[in-house]
C-alpha cells in the first residue's frame, strides 16, 4: 500500500458495489466483528449502498464497550486511592461505572492521567518511586503486545511500583460464543485484519469448519470492507464456507511471531466477562504466574467487587447484534455521548456512538426513500 486514497476510490467502489448487487439473490446476515469496521461502514454509508438483502450486524469488537462493568468499578476503586497514579488511554475516562467514571474520580482529586502508550505509565512509575502507578490495560489482540512488553520491561528494569489492571479479550472465542447462541442470525463474518496482523489466521479454519460459516479477513478502508463483503457474498451464494484473507498486505497467515512469543510469556488464557454478554470461556488473557506481582487486581485486592448492569441500557443486545442502536428506547434521549448509559455510546469504536455521530447527518435519499450518508470518494 502506497497511498490511502487507493482504498477510497469511488470508481473502484462502484465496480465492487455493482458486483455485489449482481451477485445477491436472497437475504444474508453478515457480522463485522470490529468496532473500527462498524464506524467505517456507517461513516461511509456502506450499509446504505449495498443491496437491501444484505444486513450488516455489528459485532462486539469494541474493547472499551466489552470491558465489564465490575472491572470499571475496580478501576475506579484503585484510581480513588491517594497513593495511586492511575494511567489510561483517554477513551476509558468517560466510560460509566456503577455511579461515576474516571473523569469524576479526577475531579474529586484522584491522580488520573491520560497516556498515549503503556510505556508512558512505566516511565511515570520510574519517576515517582514513592507512588503506585497503575495502567488500565484493555483491548483485543492488537493492544496486547505493547502491554505485554511494558510488563516485561517492568520486570526487567525492576520497577516494583508499577502494575496493570488487565482486561484483554480474544476474538475467536467470541465468534464461537456468537455462533453457539440459540438466537444467532449470523451467516458469515468479516474478521478484524489488525487482530490477524498479530495473531495470524490459524484459529479461524476450525471455526469455519465447525459452524460452516465463511470468515473473510478484512481491513478498514471503504474498499477493504466492500471487497470483504463482495468475497463473503460470493461464498454465501455459492454455498461454500472458507477462510479468505482479503487483507494480505497487513495480515500474513502467521501473524507476528515475535509478538506471539511475547504474549505467550507474559499472559495466560483465562475466562473473561464481556460487558452485556457474560463470561465467555477462554476468551481473555491475564498476567501469567511469572508476572502476577504486576497484576493490579491482586495487588489492591479488588477482586470481590461485583455489580449490576443498568436495566435501561441495551448495549449488551447491541454488542451481540440482536438490535441496532436506534432500536433502543434510550438511544439519543436519556443516553447520549455527553451522558452515556453504556460504553457503546461513548467509545470511539462503539456502535451506538457511530449511529449517533453519522446517522444524524443528512444525505440525499435513494429512490426507495432511504437516507444515504457516504464519504467514499
Amino acid at each position: 500500500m502506497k497511498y490511502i486514497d487507493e482504498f477510497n476510490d469511488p470508481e473502484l467502489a462502484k465496480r465492487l458495489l455493482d458486483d455485489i448487487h449482481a451477485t445477491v439473490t436472497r437475504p444474508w446476515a453478515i457480522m463485522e466483528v470490529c468496532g473500527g469496521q462498524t464506524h467505517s461502514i456507517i461513516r461511509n454509508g456502506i450499509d446504505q449502498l449495498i443491496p437491501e438483502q444484505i444486513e450488516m450486524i455489528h459485532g462486539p469488537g469494541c474493547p472499551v464497550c466489552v470491558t465489564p462493568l465490575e472491572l470499571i468499578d475496580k478501576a475506579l476503586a484503585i484510581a480513588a486511592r491517594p497513593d495511586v497514579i492511575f494511567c489510561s488511554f483517554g477513551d476509558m475516562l468517560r466510560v460509566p461505572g456503577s455511579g461515576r467514571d474516571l473523569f469524576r474520580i479526577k475531579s474529586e482529586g484522584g491522580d488520573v492521567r491520560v497516556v498515549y502508550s503503556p510505556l508512558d505509565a512505566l516511565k511515570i512509575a520510574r519517576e515517582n518511586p514513592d507512588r503506585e502507578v497503575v495502567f488500565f490495560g484493555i483491548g483485543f489482540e492488537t493492544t496486547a503486545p505493547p502491554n505485554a512488553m511494558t510488563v516485561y520491561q517492568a520486570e526487567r528494569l525492576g520497577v516494583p511500583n508499577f502494575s496493570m489492571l488487565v482486561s484483554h479479550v480474544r476474538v475467536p472465542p467470541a465468534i464461537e460464543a456468537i455462533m453457539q447462541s440459540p438466537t444467532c442470525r449470523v451467516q458469515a463474518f468479516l474478521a478484524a485484519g489488525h487482530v490477524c496482523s498479530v495473531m495470524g489466521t490459524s484459529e479461524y479454519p476450525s471455526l469455519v469448519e465447525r459452524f460452516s460459516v465463511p470468515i473473510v479477513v478484512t481491513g478498514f478502508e471503504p474498499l477493504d470492507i466492500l471487497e470483504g463483503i463482495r468475497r463473503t457474498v460470493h461464498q454465501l451464494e455459492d454455498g461454500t464456507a472458507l477462510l479468505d484473507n482479503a487483507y494480505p498486505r497487513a495480515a500474513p497467515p502467521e501473524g507476528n511471531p515475535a509478538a506471539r512469543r511475547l504474549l505467550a510469556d507474559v499472559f495466560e488464557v483465562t475466562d473473561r466477562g464481556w460487558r452485556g454478554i457474560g463470561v465467555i470461556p477462554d476468551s481473555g488473557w491475564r498476567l501469567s504466574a511469572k508476572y502476577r506481582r504486576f497484576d493490579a487486581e491482586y495487588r489492591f485486592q479488588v477482586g470481590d467487587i461485583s455489580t449490576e448492569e443498568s436495566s435501561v441500557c441495551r448495549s449488551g443486545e447491541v454488542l451481540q447484534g440482536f438490535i441496532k442502536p436506534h432500536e433502543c428506547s434510550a438511544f439519543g434521549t436519556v443516553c447520549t455521548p455527553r451522558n452515556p448509559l453504556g460504553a457503546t455510546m461513548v467509545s470511539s469504536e462503539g456502535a451506538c456512538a457511530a449511529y449517533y455521530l453519522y446517522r444524524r447527518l443528512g444525505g440525499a435519499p435513494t429512490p426507495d426513500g432511504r437516507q444515504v450518508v457516504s464519504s467514499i470518494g
Side-chain angles (χ1 to χ4, degrees):
M1 180 179 68
K2 294 182 179 180
Y3 308 106
I4 202 69
D5 290 346
E6 295 175 0
F7 298 92
N8 290 271
D9 188 311
E11 291 301 320
L12 290 177
K14 184 178 184 304
R15 285 159 54 185
L16 290 172
L17 283 164
D18 287 345
D19 190 341
I20 293 168
H21 277 268
T23 303
V24 171
T25 64
R26 55 196 177 104
W28 299 110
I30 303 170
M31 174 176 280
E32 82 277 1
V33 174
C34 177
Q37 291 171 339
T38 299
H39 272 252
S40 185
I41 288 168
I42 303 303
R43 181 176 63 248
N44 294 291
I46 290 173
D47 59 329
Q48 300 285 343
L49 296 171
I50 58 178
E52 283 190 322
Q53 298 100 313
I54 300 175
E55 178 187 1
M56 299 305 301
I57 299 177
H58 312 313
C62 164
V64 174
C65 302
V66 301
T67 301
L69 184 61
E70 65 180 38
L71 200 76
I72 301 295
D73 282 353
K74 291 174 183 178
L76 296 173
I78 294 171
R81 292 173 57 108
D83 59 333
V84 167
I85 300 173
F86 195 88
C87 300
S88 172
F89 294 144
D91 55 1
M92 291 302 300
L93 266 64
R94 295 196 61 243
V95 176
S98 294
R100 51 185 179 170
D101 57 27
L102 286 169
F103 265 130
R104 176 63 63 86
I105 296 293
K106 185 175 178 66
S107 71
E108 293 171 352
D111 195 344
V112 177
R113 305 186 189 184
V114 174
V115 295
Y116 297 96
S117 163
L119 289 171
D120 292 342
L122 183 60
K123 180 182 178 182
I124 292 171
R126 298 184 72 187
E127 293 171 346
N128 295 270
D130 58 332
R131 303 281 299 281
E132 289 286 340
V133 177
V134 180
F135 177 72
F136 201 178
I138 70 160
F140 286 87
E141 293 93 332
T142 45
T143 56
N147 288 348
M149 174 56 71
T150 302
V151 173
Y152 173 83
Q153 290 282 26
E155 195 275 337
R156 187 180 69 86
L157 296 172
V159 186
N161 61 319
F162 175 82
S163 60
M164 186 176 292
L165 184 62
V166 178
S167 181
H168 277 300
V169 286
R170 302 171 58 240
V171 170
I175 292 178
E176 181 178 6
I178 289 167
M179 292 306 301
Q180 288 177 331
S181 170
T183 56
C184 176
R185 298 184 296 109
V186 179
Q187 296 165 291
F189 290 91
L190 299 184
H194 55 354
V195 169
C196 295
S197 71
V198 175
M199 302 303 295
T201 59
S202 62
E203 293 184 273
Y204 294 102
S206 61
L207 294 171
V208 169
E209 181 178 357
R210 181 178 174 188
F211 298 108
S212 297
V213 291
I215 297 179
V216 179
V217 179
T218 312
F220 305 87
E221 298 302 321
L223 294 189
D224 284 323
I225 292 172
L226 285 173
E227 173 64 4
I229 294 172
R230 188 189 72 83
R231 295 192 188 195
T232 303
V233 166
H234 275 275
Q235 284 202 52
L236 290 169
E237 290 284 338
D238 292 342
T240 59
L242 301 169
L243 172 66
D244 186 6
N245 187 357
Y247 199 48
R249 69 180 189 273
E254 70 279 8
N256 185 323
R260 293 175 66 180
R261 287 193 296 271
L262 179 65
L263 291 171
D265 177 43
V266 176
F267 292 121
E268 62 186 22
V269 172
T270 186
D271 299 344
R272 178 68 69 189
W274 294 53
R275 188 168 191 173
I277 297 175
V279 175
I280 300 177
D282 297 331
S283 66
W285 277 313
R286 65 183 178 186
L287 291 176
S288 64
K290 179 180 177 181
Y291 298 95
R292 191 62 49 80
R293 65 186 179 279
F294 295 104
D295 190 325
E297 188 169 342
Y298 285 91
R299 181 173 295 192
F300 296 99
Q301 296 296 301
V302 292
D304 59 346
I305 291 178
S306 60
T307 55
E308 275 190 32
E309 293 281 355
S310 165
S311 60
V312 179
C313 178
R314 300 178 68 186
S315 60
E317 294 171 83
V318 172
L319 289 168
Q320 296 176 79
F322 295 157
I323 64 170
K324 295 292 192 292
H326 61 79
E327 294 173 326
C328 174
S329 61
F331 176 80
T333 55
V334 297
C335 181
T336 66
R338 186 177 292 275
N339 296 291
L341 291 179
T344 50
M345 180 57 88
V346 71
S347 169
S348 61
E349 294 188 358
C352 295
Y355 272 60
Y356 191 93
L357 287 172
Y358 303 121
R359 292 289 185 173
R360 296 188 175 210
L361 299 177
T366 62
D368 61 8
R370 292 185 300 160
Q371 292 290 316
V372 174
V373 180
S374 175
S375 66
I376 299 176

